[in-house]
Every structure is written in structure tokens, then in C-alpha cells.
Amino acid sequence: MKIVSIFNQKGGVGKTTTNINLAAFIALRGYKVLVIDIDPQGNTSSGLGIEKEELENTTYELLLSDISIADVIHNVENIENLKIIPSNMNLAGADLELSYMEHRESILKTKLAALEENFDYVIIDCPPSLGLLTINALTASDTVLIPMQCEYYALEGISQLVKTIQKVKKGLNKNLEVEGVVLTMFDSRRNLQIQVAEELKSYFGELVYENSIPRNIRLAEAPSFGLPIALYDPKAKGSEAYSDLADEFLRKQSQEVVNG
Ligand code: ATP
Ligand code: MG
């Protein structure tokens, strides 16, 4: 089982869109995937068709009560291999409540260690902040997958992003690695975007995925139907892009095994 956090402290860069669609395609390839929504906005949950508002077995209860992890795992309709631990606005208070707890950074890690069901991948959608929810996600993870929008401000955000990952690596999770960097809402006709993409490649090297995600309205529409793009419009450009990204992600896993 590999645990991957989708993280960038910058808001609106495509974390949730990447989480939903990468997870869905990997599950459709036959792997067992658990998505954890650790963002109080709950966008991953609604985007995967969960009616989240009234739920009482969510990430909040997982982190702040002694409910077992099996009891907060929900099915995702139409994708047999995909399960989710959803979140809703209740989670907004968790950062503060967690701060009073012992071992407050590693609660998610401890809960995940008690997972009895076998998953190939756990993919965690982080909020756009550096609070205890994000720290819990990074502490529990093997790797971080970073979505980046190719605009000027992306470059300014990198040092903060890298600092956060290094801080977690130093204090809480020395094995944390970067899984990859995916360029989102990418428009290859715009010079600024190409320049920023070049900068990101010179910084992150081979960690930048060859498959970038274009801006595609169908990707923005799909969540309002509670569907990943694979089911909403499999022929859309955005669907092909996430399908290719899922293949590249999986190819890199097998390479890592080969390389030892
Ligand atoms: P937050 O930081 O608030 O959690 P986020 O990083 O999770 O945001 P998303 O919610 O995935 O970002 O995307 C932000 C907005 O951009 C959403 O409205 C989403 O539908 C839209 N969007 C994301 N990726 C694409 C894309 N490739 N093409 C078109 N729209 C996109
Ligand atoms: Mg999000």
C-alpha cells in the first residue's frame, strides 16, 4: 500500500480535480484505491457523488473520535475499486481541536495503520493551508504529488512548498518523498506558461510528469454531477490527459520497484 498526498498550499491549482480523476482512473485500471478527503471544503467528496452534509462518519470522526477506520469508509458509486473517507464543514474545527491532542501530527498515520482492508493506493486531498490537517496528511504519506498551475506566482510558492515538505521530513516523516509534479490547466500556446513550465522542469527535473493537464471545461463541469471525468465524458481532452497521467503514474511505480 502506497500513501500519496496531493498537496500545494496555493489554492485553486487543481489538487482536488487531480485527486478525483487520478484516483478514478487508477481504480478503473483495476487497482484498489482509497481516497481520503482531509479538506473541510469537501470538494473531493461531493465530486465523487457523496452527499456529505449530514454524514456522521467522516474524516472528522476518524481524527477526533475512537470510531474505527472501517466505519468511515464509503463506497463510490459506479467504481467498484474506489472507496472514500469523505469530509464536510465539521472538519473546519479540527485544526484547533487537534492542537490540544497528544501526538497531534500523527493521528491519521496511526488510524491508517489499523486499516484491515487491502488497498494498493491511498490518495489524500489536502486543503490549501499548512495547518494540522495537512501536517497529518504529510506525516502519514509515503509521497507528495504536487499540482502546479503555470503562472508566475507558482514560482513564488515553490520555496514555501519545499520548506514545508522538508520540515515534515526532518521532524515527523523522514521517508517522505516527492511523487511528482503535474502541470494543471496548462495552455501550451501561452508563452508565459511555457516559460514557467521550463522553470519548474529545471527545478524539479524528472519529477515533472510528461503528461500535463490542459484547461478543459468538462473537468470543471463533472463535479456538479458527482462524477469523475472518466464517467462524465471519457472522450474529453481532460479525460484523456488524466488517463495518460494515471498510466505515467503507474509506470513510475513499476520502475521504482525495478530500481529497488
Ligand atoms: P483548493 O485549494 O480550494 O482546494 P484545488 O487546488 O483543489 O483548490 P480544484 O478545486 O481542483 O483546485 O480546481 C480549482 C477550480 O479550477 C475548480 O473550479 C475546478 O473545476 C477548476 N479546474 C481544475 N482543473 C481544471 C482544468 N484542467 N480545466 C478546467 N478547469 C479546471
Ligand atoms: Mg481542493
Side-chain angles (χ1 to χ4, degrees):
M1 184 172 92
K2 183 170 194 180
I3 306 175
V4 183
S5 274
I6 313 250
F7 174 63
N8 188 333
Q9 79 278 357
K10 204 166 150 22
V13 296
K15 292 182 288 296
T16 297
T17 305
T18 297
N19 191 314
I20 291 172
N21 293 303
L22 185 64
F25 273 114
I26 292 173
L28 289 167
R29 300 278 190 277
Y31 296 91
K32 286 202 71 182
V33 181
L34 173 66
V35 164
I36 302 178
D37 192 350
I38 200 166
D39 182 350
Q41 299 179 96
N43 295 336
T44 296
S45 308
S46 46
L48 285 172
I50 302 285
E51 302 271 356
K52 63 189 188 209
E53 306 317 333
E54 306 292 324
L55 282 184
E56 284 177 3
N57 44 357
T58 67
T59 305
Y60 178 84
E61 286 77 17
L62 179 68
L63 296 176
L64 288 150
S65 77
D66 45 23
I67 198 168
S68 91
I69 187 161
D71 290 335
V72 294
I73 296 179
H74 299 246
N75 293 327
V76 172
E77 227 177 302
N78 301 315
I79 305 185
E80 201 187 306
N81 282 330
L82 185 58
K83 303 272 175 82
I84 180 168
I85 302 179
S87 77
N88 56 28
M89 275 314 285
N90 289 340
L91 193 59
D95 241 290
L96 184 63
E97 289 176 57
L98 283 169
S99 68
Y100 301 118
M101 291 175 72
E102 250 181 277
H103 308 297
R104 53 182 179 253
E105 298 93 354
S106 54
I107 293 171
L108 182 63
K109 185 184 168 82
T110 306
K111 296 276 175 157
L112 275 168
L115 192 62
E116 282 176 5
E117 197 172 344
N118 274 325
F119 288 98
D120 297 300
Y121 295 100
V122 177
I123 308 184
I124 309 174
D125 192 27
C126 293
S129 66
L130 301 169
L132 274 172
L133 291 169
T134 294
I135 297 296
N136 263 273
L138 296 179
T139 302
S141 292
D142 298 302
T143 61
V144 195
L145 195 156
I146 306 167
M148 287 263 184
Q149 215 181 327
C150 286
E151 48 176 54
Y152 175 70
Y153 294 115
L155 301 174
E156 290 196 333
I158 290 182
S159 64
Q160 180 66 55
L161 184 66
V162 169
K163 235 185 258 167
T164 302
I165 294 171
Q166 275 166 353
K167 199 174 107 190
V168 173
K169 224 174 134 94
K170 213 165 160 195
L172 298 158
N173 180 4
K174 63 178 188 316
N175 298 319
L176 186 66
E177 298 291 343
V178 175
E179 177 73 41
V181 176
V182 57
L183 310 183
T184 58
M185 297 176 249
F186 188 60
D187 183 350
S188 57
R189 292 164 308 184
R190 286 180 47 205
N191 276 332
L192 176 64
Q193 296 223 355
I194 295 168
Q195 279 167 27
V196 173
E198 288 310 317
E199 296 255 358
L200 290 174
K201 282 174 193 160
S202 66
Y203 190 90
F204 287 105
E206 295 199 336
L207 288 171
V208 179
Y209 290 109
E210 280 167 28
N211 291 287
S212 58
I213 309 299
R215 193 174 277 283
N216 176 230
I217 187 72
R218 306 299 270 171
L219 285 169
E221 289 168 5
S224 61
F225 296 89
L227 292 171
I229 194 73
L231 302 182
Y232 176 66
D233 187 353
K235 296 252 152 58
K237 281 259 172 298
S239 181
E240 286 169 11
Y242 274 112
S243 174
D244 290 345
L245 181 68
D247 287 334
E248 187 176 359
F249 174 94
L250 290 168
R251 210 160 50 232
K252 283 194 164 175
Q253 310 304 313
S254 41
Q255 279 168 6
E256 276 168 27
V257 174
V258 171
N259 298 339

